[in-house]
Amino acid sequence: MAIETEVLVLGAGPGGYTAAFRAADLGKRVTLVERYPVLGGVCLNVGCIPSKALLHLAEVIYQARDCAGKGIKFGEPEIDLEQVRRWKDRVVKTLNTGLAGLAKQRQVQVVQGTGHFVSDRKLEVETEEGAETVSFQHAIIAAGSRPVKLPGWPNDSRIMDSTGALALEEIPESLLVVGGGVIGLEMACFYHALGAKVSVVELADQLLPGADPDLVKPLHQTISKRYEGIWLNSKVTAVEASDQGLKVSFEGSEAPESQTFDRILVAVGRRPNSDSLDLEAAGIQADERGFIEVDDRQRTSVRHIHAIGDIVGNPMLAHKATHEGKVAAEVICDLPSAFQALTIPSVAYTDPEVAWMGKSEPELKAAGVEYDKGIFPWAASGRALGIGRREGLTKLLSDRKTGRILGAGIVGPHAGELVAETVHALEMGADVEDIALTIHPHPTLSETIAFAAEMIDGSITDLYLGKSRKETK
Ligand code: FAD
Ligand code: NAD
């Protein structure tokens, strides 16, 4: 069967389905090609959504434990893993069904099969019924990414990637997490809460490399009390599989002696799925890391073919993919759109959460920018104390001359929700005074953003800054 369409979208992750729905809403005939029977891609099926559902359970378990020191004791949780899995899968399925309905309402044609280009106007799709061709006027490549594999490791089902870890086959007695990035630390969090003894080995000299060390410190301190080990500047040199477990040897300045684990999660990054699309047939070349280069209208070197999401580069985040998807669809429909966000926020949904946006302090220093900073410790927030979370902090960075917000970082529960206010402030060109003079409800964690701003402009009364306090405003 041959299909002719105005807009072909390849891949139905958050980038692809958003682009397809937006193009359809703008009046285009859209065909969405996806190899799996469900829409939603990595984010919905094996990423953001199931991981956050499991992290919610971790949060409840940690909070219940924390209550013991406050006069309320719960028993140790009884975990019915089958029911946990069913609940997580139900959350995903509800959204899968929702997306299928949204595609139908918009008359987006969904073709299930694996696509590859045969020219710059034609895609071939391998379906269960055989090969189909889709001829298109415009295409949007949204084929996403997959986990990086470490070479030379044994092929053993106890060695998992993020998808395997989310399948939650069992809670192992001991789990080694290789990679202290965002996936490794989120998964470490819920496996630990569900009862595993967790260790983390990380190649770099800090967890969440690239994040501001001031933000990483409270997380590191909290989890180092919970986990068996956090070994920085270290890597795995060998894994031997036997019936007794996985014997792991390490190398590096903080590396331990070799140890045996029941399971290993490998979370050392993701790579783009550009190598199976026959991009050359469409006249497109990926770079040496496999990313497809695009301009701010998401156009590839072939003008009528766009690309979005993980396949065009870092950061590999769902909210970046969806925004890029809208831009691509709107550009195809001749709207004056471009990807011009000033920042893309990042959140590690760990316990405590870590969220940041804009420039980090090390980045401002390296660029020689003159800046001011306010770091408000949550130990001075009534709300944070009331929820037992004094380890948190809220950090704001502003331009010394103009007072404009340049960056922000938050550590503590709900940091991911709180950081949105600072993203909005940055996008609106707000300065420190705008935030300090905005009345935040009391007692809330959001107040800590205003307090950090007051620390910069010198008007803070919830802390005493002594001589460093500005006398006048
Ligand atoms: P994808 O979601 O990867 O979708 C690509 C789609 O293309 C897939 O459905 C795939 O099957 C399909 N496809 C690929 N090749 C073909 C082909 N040849 N033919 C047909 N179909 C094809 N991001 C966040 O912002 N917040 C989070 O909390 C978060 N948590 C995450 C947790 C985990 C465990 C993981 C792994 C990722 C997480 N991410 C998170 C990242 C997020 O999932 C990705 O950034 C996002 O899914 C990228 O969207 P995309 O549309 O570019 O691609
Ligand atoms: P990552 O790049 O965030 O972290 C990988 C970590 O592994 C790094 O810290 C790296 O230094 C380390 N590493 C690399 N090789 C190693 C080795 N041989 N031994 C030990 N450590 C090693 O990648 P990830 O955690 O796999 O996540 C992939 C992508 O998924 C990220 O880019 C992220 O944007 C996205 N994601 C986002 C969220 C979120 O937004 N909350 C959650 C999960 C995933």
Side-chain angles (χ1 to χ4, degrees):
M1 197 177 90
I3 295 170
E4 285 187 17
T5 193
E6 285 179 299
V7 180
L8 158 80
V9 181
L10 179 57
Y17 71 71
T18 303
F21 293 177
R22 184 75 180 121
D25 288 349
L26 289 169
K28 294 289 182 193
R29 203 153 26 89
V30 180
T31 303
L32 178 58
V33 175
E34 167 58 50
R35 61 185 164 182
Y36 294 130
V38 285
L39 307 184
V42 169
C43 175
L44 171 51
N45 296 294
V46 289
C48 326
I49 300 303
S51 61
K52 267 79 250 181
L54 295 175
L55 282 161
H56 164 67
L57 298 182
E59 188 188 338
V60 172
I61 291 172
Y62 286 135
Q63 282 188 6
R65 277 195 196 135
D66 183 56
C67 281
K70 301 181 174 69
I72 302 204
K73 276 205 180 108
F74 295 93
E76 273 305 294
E78 274 177 39
I79 294 165
D80 177 344
L81 209 52
E82 177 55 34
Q83 203 174 342
V84 171
R85 271 195 299 265
R86 271 207 306 272
W87 172 71
K88 164 193 64 104
D89 293 345
R90 210 166 46 237
V91 172
V92 172
K93 202 168 167 213
T94 304
L95 292 164
N96 287 143
T97 310
L99 282 179
L102 292 175
K104 207 167 168 195
Q105 283 168 323
R106 295 180 159 87
Q107 293 168 0
V108 167
Q109 178 185 30
V110 178
V111 176
Q112 192 200 327
T114 304
H116 65 104
F117 287 95
V118 287
S119 77
D120 67 349
R121 295 281 177 186
K122 211 176 264 183
L123 187 86
E124 189 170 84
V125 187
E126 310 299 335
T127 73
E128 277 185 359
E129 291 80 39
E132 279 191 16
T133 57
V134 184
S135 305
F136 55 83
Q137 290 170 19
H138 302 272
I140 301 174
I141 305 172
S145 65
R146 62 182 185 274
V148 165
K149 285 196 166 122
L150 289 172
W153 283 44
N155 197 1
D156 190 298
S157 62
R158 294 168 296 181
I159 301 174
M160 311 177 286
D161 60 15
S162 56
T163 302
L166 285 169
L168 219 60
E169 266 174 37
E170 62 166 6
I171 299 301
E173 218 161 276
S174 58
L175 172 71
L176 173 67
V177 173
V178 182
V182 65
I183 292 187
L185 295 181
E186 288 186 357
M187 305 255 172
C189 180
F190 63 72
Y191 268 93
H192 174 266
L194 294 179
K197 289 190 165 79
V198 172
S199 308
V200 179
V201 55
E202 164 57 50
L203 201 55
D205 61 1
Q206 73 163 37
L207 297 173
L208 299 176
D212 184 329
D214 281 346
L215 307 180
V216 178
K217 202 170 154 197
L219 170 68
H220 192 128
Q221 281 175 342
T222 304
I223 60 177
S224 61
K225 289 179 210 136
R226 292 180 184 155
Y227 300 170
E228 305 305 297
I230 298 176
W231 305 306
L232 302 178
N233 299 303
S234 302
K235 63 177 183 185
V236 171
T237 49
V239 181
E240 276 171 55
S242 74
D243 291 347
Q244 282 69 47
L246 301 158
K247 186 170 174 218
V248 181
S249 308
F250 301 91
E251 182 183 282
S253 61
E254 297 179 30
E257 294 294 300
S258 58
Q259 295 188 24
T260 300
F261 299 88
D262 294 322
R263 281 190 179 243
I264 300 177
L265 163 65
V266 181
V268 295
R270 296 179 61 82
R271 53 177 295 203
N273 287 330
S274 54
D275 44 355
S276 53
L277 306 180
D278 290 343
L279 288 175
E280 318 73 48
I284 298 169
Q285 258 193 336
D287 71 14
E288 68 286 350
R289 291 179 304 160
F291 291 120
I292 301 174
E293 212 174 292
V294 288
D295 63 12
D296 68 353
R297 278 143 217 243
Q298 305 302 138
R299 291 180 300 205
T300 67
S301 55
V302 179
R303 299 297 257 195
H304 62 280
I305 302 184
H306 291 65
I308 58 172
D310 284 6
I311 206 161
V312 303
N314 290 311
M316 294 193 188
L317 294 172
H319 42 282
K320 186 197 74 139
T322 54
H323 276 255
E324 289 176 344
K326 284 195 176 163
V327 169
E330 288 167 4
V331 169
I332 286 171
C333 297
D334 294 327
L335 292 178
S337 298
F339 191 89
Q340 289 172 335
L342 296 179
T343 187
I344 300 164
S346 296
V347 184
Y349 298 84
T350 42
D351 181 66
E353 276 184 17
V354 185
W356 64 97
M357 71 97 210
K359 299 281 182 223
S360 69
E361 192 173 357
E363 281 170 342
L364 291 177
K365 267 195 191 134
V369 175
E370 295 210 325
Y371 63 92
D372 284 316
K373 72 172 161 183
I375 303 183
F376 185 80
W378 284 22
S381 151
R383 188 59 193 270
L385 293 187
I387 60 167
R389 300 308 296 255
R390 54 184 304 132
E391 82 278 20
L393 63 84
T394 298
K395 176 170 182 176
L396 277 189
L397 297 157
S398 60
D399 185 293
R400 179 154 298 164
K401 278 200 200 87
T402 64
R404 283 222 177 163
I405 300 301
L406 297 175
I410 305 176
V411 187
H414 313 296
E417 306 288 343
L418 294 167
V419 81
E421 176 186 342
T422 65
V423 179
H424 192 212
L426 181 82
E427 288 287 355
M428 301 301 287
D431 61 26
V432 160
E433 199 174 40
D434 291 323
I435 294 185
L437 292 180
T438 299
I439 299 182
H440 289 67
H442 175 77
T444 59
L445 298 172
S446 72
E447 276 176 306
T448 66
I449 297 170
F451 294 150
E454 289 177 353
M455 287 176 79
I456 298 177
D457 85 355
S459 63
I460 183 113
T461 50
D462 281 64
L463 283 177
Y464 180 62
L465 298 184
K467 289 199 168 27
S468 64
R469 180 175 59 93
K470 286 188 190 157
E471 296 299 331
T472 53
K473 287 174 63 179

